[in-house]
Amino acid sequence: MSKVYILVAEDDADDRFLLETAFAENGFKGKLEFVENGVELLDYLRNLKKEDANTDHPLPGFILLDLNMPKKDGREVLKEIKEDPRFKKIPVIVFTTTKNENEINRCYELGANTYVVKPVGFENLVKTIEDIRSYWFSTAQIP
């Protein structure tokens, strides 16, 4: 899994920086790819070629998806990813500030693999990222 990378959909530049720093603090040596909205995320995935699966651009190990983004929000993107046979097996972790129970249920109904509320404070973010990485790359079996 040396070529594993994580695709992060996050529109806030400060949050992107904090996420990048938190992954680095956890010793993540893989690549983080960032997109700033749902349209960019879907374009990124659709531009991956089948033959890239064994090269530098395989499917991401998982997608860290913010819900509230411009152009196309995370809910719409989640639905499209999980309806597309090429991408539906990619684990999607909703990573958002939204704590609403109806929203959580809706995301799972749309196919989210995990729903995580963004923690408050950098140390909590580092711990949360460690937990996510550990689970998805060490505990879970992913295709």
Side-chain angles (χ1 to χ4, degrees), residues 65-134:
L65 178 67
D66 187 24
L67 287 182
N68 302 309
M69 297 183 295
K71 297 186 181 181
K72 187 175 281 211
D73 75 18
R75 296 155 202 85
E76 295 172 278
V77 171
L78 177 59
K79 183 178 189 299
E80 288 188 44
I81 289 170
K82 293 304 181 176
E83 288 177 347
D84 190 316
R86 296 170 296 173
F87 310 128
K88 68 182 179 181
K89 290 183 182 179
I90 302 170
V92 177
I93 301 162
V94 173
F95 195 68
T96 184
T97 57
T98 307
K99 296 180 187 178
N100 180 291
E101 188 175 331
N102 290 331
E103 192 68 64
I104 294 168
N105 287 330
R106 180 176 178 207
C107 286
Y108 279 114
E109 287 170 7
L110 291 172
N113 298 90
T114 304
Y115 191 104
V116 177
V117 176
K118 290 179 181 177
V120 176
F122 183 70
E123 292 305 316
N124 291 330
L125 176 63
V126 170
K127 174 68 172 124
T128 299
I129 293 301
E130 177 184 7
D131 292 345
I132 290 170
R133 269 192 58 224
S134 175

Side-chain angles (χ1 to χ4, degrees), residues 10-77:
E10 174 59 63
D11 63 313
D12 185 274
D14 291 335
D15 284 353
R16 289 192 303 271
F17 174 76
L18 290 172
L19 283 167
E20 192 168 32
T21 305
F23 274 99
E25 289 268 329
N26 278 294
F28 181 63
K29 305 270 192 254
K31 188 174 186 178
L32 292 175
E33 290 284 341
F34 289 94
V35 293
E36 296 183 21
N37 60 62
V39 171
E40 286 183 15
L41 189 150
L42 292 170
D43 286 347
Y44 183 96
L45 290 175
R46 290 176 181 139
N47 286 325
L48 293 173
K49 297 182 181 98
K50 199 175 220 178
E51 60 270 17
D52 286 340
N54 296 316
T55 65
D56 290 338
H57 293 80
L59 294 175
F62 63 78
I63 297 171
L64 205 56
L65 178 67
D66 187 24
L67 287 182
N68 302 309
M69 297 183 295
K71 297 186 181 181
K72 187 175 281 211
D73 75 18
R75 296 155 202 85
E76 295 172 278
V77 171

